[in-house]
Amino acid sequence: MLTFASCRRHHNEYNAHAVKRQRLNPSPASSPRWIPHNNLAVGEPPMSAPVGFEHFHSSPPITEVLSEPQNLTSLQVFVKDKLSGQMVELFEACQQQTSDLDRKEACRARLQGDIQKQFPESRLYLTGSSMSGLGCRSSDADLCLVIKGNVRLRRRPMDVLRQLHKDFRSLSYLARIQLIKAKVPILKFKERSSFLEFDLNVNNTVGIRNTFLLRTYAYADIRVRPLVLVVKKWAGHHQINDASKGTLSSYTLVLMVLHYLQTLEQPVLPSFQNTHPECFDLLMDIDEVPDGPKHVRLFTSTNQLSLGELLLGFLRYYATRFSWDKQVISVRQATTLPKTNSKEWRNKFICVEEPFEGSNVARAVHEKTKFDTIKKCFSERKDLVSILALRAIINEELATR
């Protein structure tokens, strides 16, 4: 049975305190209309900070006004067909719960205290889908350790990770600690008392920036989060959602979904980097990044397609319209860019621009056989049961509770 939370609960999802205490259960509610007061911010108030940013706000609280919205558009409005209903069922079963986020935050806070014994000028941030609102119950938690002051440590993240790898072995609440050498090296580990797995990087601050950019998109239209979650599950079912195995990362898939929603004849989303460049400035001090989305004003789409129509349109777009060999996906510009002969795009099968750094986040797809497999997956089906193992995925997610 589908249920829809009250407007006031949905309001709490948007405020900054709810970034730490998100209420994502049982299901998303209507998108409230944020009315700026005296040209002040829209969205998350700075009275309390998101996870990992608690101590960075020195400015006084900003007053915001939440109007009682007229003709609220709930997710139910976009459930017009069987496929849409299946998507909502999957979303409600798999979306990250308050308890999941609480556990991740508790571990982050405990770990930050232990890390600061070795690196006093550091702070640990919870990033990625856990914070953007685009995660599910089984999602790993991404952590970014930001070290300030010590220039040598800032420039040599592997040295920090090696030290942490050694130190973490003495922490009784961590297990399966593994150092992964990659373009962005990480330390993988598991919280011993739960199923939670963590990936920790050092000073990869673009991850903090894109977390808050994606969070802005996630809550800009009520259809975004269900669509993204279903696409991730679809890709996982077809085994094309693992960058370590030469396919698509979850971040790449999210950008592909956002790009599709931006380029419809009636866009579901704009480019917030175009409409509000000052809110997502790459040069903005990292301490100020969480405040950026608070100044993004309401975007109301005239697009009324159902969730099912959007999913089939997404599959159709990449099956028939998108030119893999000639185009670059750009969420930053809300369009496709021509594939040039630059090092970033040359001889790459799939080109998806990182919104801040401009790098290719799909570079892991470097084998033609994997690329061909990915392309073949973008084919239309009648319902979600034929697109992925719906019941098996739901049962797997429910088993984590």
Side-chain angles (χ1 to χ4, degrees):
M1 180 178 178
L2 303 183
T3 58
F4 296 90
S6 68
C7 173
R8 191 166 300 279
R9 175 177 294 174
H10 190 69
H11 164 50
N12 288 338
E13 288 184 355
Y14 281 75
N15 70 47
H17 178 68
V19 177
K20 180 174 178 180
R21 303 288 183 190
Q22 284 185 89
R23 183 63 180 172
L24 301 174
N25 181 39
S27 63
S30 319
S31 296
R33 182 177 297 272
W34 290 99
I35 306 298
H37 180 62
N38 294 333
N39 296 319
L40 295 178
V42 184
E44 302 170 345
M47 282 83 82
S48 57
V51 177
F53 295 85
E54 303 94 329
H55 306 292
F56 285 135
H57 297 287
S58 57
S59 56
I62 296 176
T63 302
E64 61 175 87
V65 176
L66 175 66
S67 70
E68 290 299 326
Q70 301 292 323
N71 301 319
L72 280 174
T73 304
S74 74
L75 188 57
Q76 195 169 25
V77 172
F78 300 106
V79 181
K80 306 173 184 178
D81 45 65
K82 179 181 178 182
L83 177 56
S84 298
Q86 291 172 327
M87 291 174 69
V88 172
E89 181 185 9
L90 181 63
F91 176 64
E92 290 188 332
C94 298
Q95 65 175 320
Q96 179 176 252
Q97 305 295 311
T98 305
S99 57
D100 302 325
L101 188 58
D102 286 347
R103 281 196 295 268
K104 292 174 183 178
E105 159 56 13
C107 187
R108 180 210 66 82
R110 185 178 184 183
L111 195 57
Q112 176 174 269
D114 286 323
I115 291 174
Q116 287 178 337
K117 296 173 185 176
Q118 180 68 242
F119 302 104
E121 295 182 274
S122 67
R123 185 166 295 279
L124 191 61
Y125 301 90
L126 184 60
T127 63
S129 62
S130 299
M131 286 294 286
S132 68
L134 297 173
C136 58
R137 302 220 67 185
S138 57
S139 296
D140 294 348
D142 296 317
L143 297 168
C144 178
L145 180 66
V146 176
I147 296 180
K148 296 187 175 183
N150 191 315
V151 176
R152 183 184 67 82
L153 291 177
R154 292 206 312 267
R155 293 177 178 175
R156 303 190 66 175
M158 276 300 295
D159 289 351
V160 177
L161 290 175
R162 288 192 186 98
Q163 182 63 51
L164 292 178
H165 185 237
K166 178 181 177 181
D167 294 343
F168 282 10
R169 293 175 184 173
S170 65
L171 300 178
S172 60
Y173 59 93
L174 300 184
R176 299 180 188 177
I177 305 159
Q178 184 180 8
L179 181 59
I180 307 295
K181 298 178 181 179
K183 183 174 181 179
V184 179
I186 60 172
L187 201 59
K188 294 181 72 73
F189 54 91
K190 185 174 182 287
E191 185 184 37
R192 195 180 295 277
S193 63
S194 72
F195 65 90
L196 289 176
E197 295 186 0
F198 293 83
D199 292 345
L200 185 152
N201 69 73
V202 176
N203 283 345
N204 184 38
T205 54
V206 69
I208 299 173
R209 298 181 191 280
N210 62 46
T211 292
F212 283 91
L213 175 65
L214 294 191
R215 183 174 176 81
T216 305
Y217 283 116
Y219 290 100
D221 187 282
I222 202 167
R223 292 166 288 180
V224 175
R225 294 170 63 229
L227 180 59
V228 166
L229 186 145
V230 170
V231 167
K232 285 183 179 181
K233 293 299 184 183
W234 162 82
H237 176 68
H238 287 282
Q239 299 182 329
I240 60 169
N241 182 202
D242 190 341
S244 70
K245 296 181 180 178
T247 58
L248 302 168
S249 68
S250 292
Y251 183 38
T252 299
L253 284 166
V254 171
L255 293 178
M256 290 174 71
V257 173
L258 298 182
H259 165 73
Y260 161 69
L261 296 176
Q262 289 174 326
T263 54
L264 289 165
E265 184 176 349
Q266 291 181 305
V268 174
L269 297 171
S271 164
F272 286 121
Q273 286 171 287
N274 276 345
T275 59
H276 297 79
E278 71 286 354
C279 298
F280 303 102
D281 188 348
L282 182 58
L283 299 179
M284 182 186 295
D285 188 276
I286 199 66
D287 297 356
E288 300 175 7
V289 168
D291 288 331
K294 300 172 189 175
H295 303 280
V296 174
R297 299 186 182 281
L298 176 71
F299 175 81
T300 303
S301 173
T302 58
N303 185 300
Q304 293 299 305
L305 292 177
S306 71
L307 278 169
E309 289 169 327
L310 289 177
L311 176 61
L312 295 180
F314 167 80
L315 298 173
R316 187 184 308 114
Y317 175 78
Y318 288 106
T320 63
R321 286 185 53 200
F322 181 74
S323 180
W324 300 93
D325 61 336
K326 296 180 181 179
Q327 294 179 319
V328 175
I329 292 170
S330 176
V331 170
R332 175 178 58 88
Q333 296 287 355
T335 187
T336 57
L337 303 175
K339 188 175 179 180
T340 65
N341 199 38
S342 67
K343 179 181 178 181
E344 202 61 58
W345 315 122
R346 186 172 60 246
N347 300 323
K348 302 298 190 300
F349 292 110
I350 302 178
C351 297
V352 181
E353 178 192 59
E354 207 292 319
F356 290 99
E357 294 185 333
S359 58
N360 183 13
V361 299
R363 59 184 175 273
V365 185
H366 60 272
E367 297 178 12
K368 190 176 187 305
T369 54
K370 297 288 180 69
F371 172 56
D372 290 340
T373 298
I374 291 169
K375 286 200 300 181
K376 287 179 182 178
C377 290
F378 286 94
S379 57
E380 294 184 35
R381 296 291 185 271
K382 292 182 180 179
D383 58 35
L384 204 56
V385 175
S386 60
I387 291 175
L388 50 73
L390 176 64
R391 186 51 51 192
I393 290 173
I394 288 178
N395 290 340
E396 181 182 351
E397 289 287 342
L398 291 176
T400 65
R401 298 192 177 191

